């Protein structure tokens, strides 16, 4: 990316823009990536959890709007998250907190990598997501998209 004018896109979670002592996740990320001229796109609010999950599910199941998600086997955290995150009865994510026995710190082991995937997809394909939010038609049968957004398909 150093040779690109606009740098890598970095869509984000609105929560990451909250400051603590004058810094937030974006200032920290920007500092680490500044030589690459990152392009931040922070929404004023996050997309609704249930609808963004449904949107990404429709892409996986039917290549909604000819979008295909290809995940590298090297994305081990994302794959583990996709395989283990659970659904709440209301259609949102069930993020169970567990405590590390050594550090006594509580954390949510699953749901964060899939959140990042959903934020990226909803922002990168914002017009398709908007159409989906407004009742865009779902494919009648699974189709195989012509767009491929993967390591080799950008």
């Amino acid at each position: 990316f150093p040779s690109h004018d606009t740098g890598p896109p970095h869509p984000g979670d609105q929560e990451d823009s909250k400051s603590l002592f004058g810094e937030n996740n974006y200032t920290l990320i920007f500092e680490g990536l500044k030589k690459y001229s990152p392009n931040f796109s922070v929404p004023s609010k996050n997309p609704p959890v249930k609808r963004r999950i449904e949107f990404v599910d429709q892409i996986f199941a039917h290549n909604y709007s000819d979008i295909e998600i290809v995940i590298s086997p090297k994305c081990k955290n994302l794959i583990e998250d996709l395989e283990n995150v659970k659904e709440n009865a209301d259609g949102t994510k069930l993020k169970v907190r567990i405590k590390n026995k050594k550090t006594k710190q509580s954390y949510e082991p699953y749901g964060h990598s899939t959140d990042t995937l959903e934020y990226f997809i909803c922002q990168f394909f914002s017009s398709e997501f908007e159409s989906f939010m407004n009742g865009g038609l779902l494919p009648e049968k699974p189709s195989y998209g012509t767009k491929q957004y993967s390591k080799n398909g950008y």
Side-chain angles (χ1 to χ4, degrees):
F1 281 107
S3 63
H4 290 90
D5 291 338
T6 59
H10 187 285
D13 177 349
Q14 214 297 316
E15 294 294 313
D16 288 336
S17 65
K18 292 182 178 176
S19 290
L20 179 64
F21 305 113
E23 289 189 328
N24 61 43
N25 286 346
Y26 294 109
T27 58
L28 297 172
I29 293 168
F30 186 81
E31 183 62 31
L33 296 175
K34 68 182 173 184
K35 70 179 179 182
Y36 300 108
S37 303
N39 178 14
F40 289 98
S41 175
V42 184
S44 59
K45 62 181 182 175
N46 289 330
V49 177
K50 185 176 180 194
R51 295 298 284 161
R52 73 174 198 244
I53 292 170
E54 292 169 343
F55 180 61
V56 172
D57 283 351
Q58 286 301 311
I59 294 169
F60 276 128
H62 305 288
N63 295 101
Y64 179 83
S65 198
D66 289 332
I67 301 167
E68 181 180 7
I69 298 172
V70 178
I71 300 171
S72 168
K74 293 179 184 178
C75 297
K76 295 182 187 310
N77 289 338
L78 176 57
I79 292 167
E80 182 180 7
D81 208 53
L82 287 163
E83 291 174 343
N84 291 290
V85 71
K86 304 289 184 219
E87 183 177 355
N88 266 329
D90 65 359
T92 61
K93 292 181 187 175
L94 177 63
K95 291 187 177 178
V96 178
R97 294 189 69 79
I98 62 173
K99 187 177 273 192
N100 182 300
K101 292 178 184 176
K102 290 182 181 179
T103 66
K104 308 293 185 210
Q105 294 293 312
S106 294
Y107 66 99
E108 298 166 342
Y110 302 114
H112 299 287
S113 294
T114 52
D115 285 343
T116 302
L117 172 68
E118 292 157 7
Y119 296 141
F120 178 79
I121 296 296
C122 290
Q123 288 181 40
F124 197 80
F125 298 101
S126 58
S127 60
E128 290 87 349
F129 181 61
E130 187 67 33
S131 174
F132 181 82
M133 291 285 291
N134 291 324
L137 299 175
L138 299 178
E140 291 182 23
K141 61 180 182 176
S143 61
Y144 299 95
T146 56
K147 296 180 189 176
Q148 190 172 65
Y149 300 93
S150 66
K151 181 177 102 176
N152 299 320
Y154 284 108

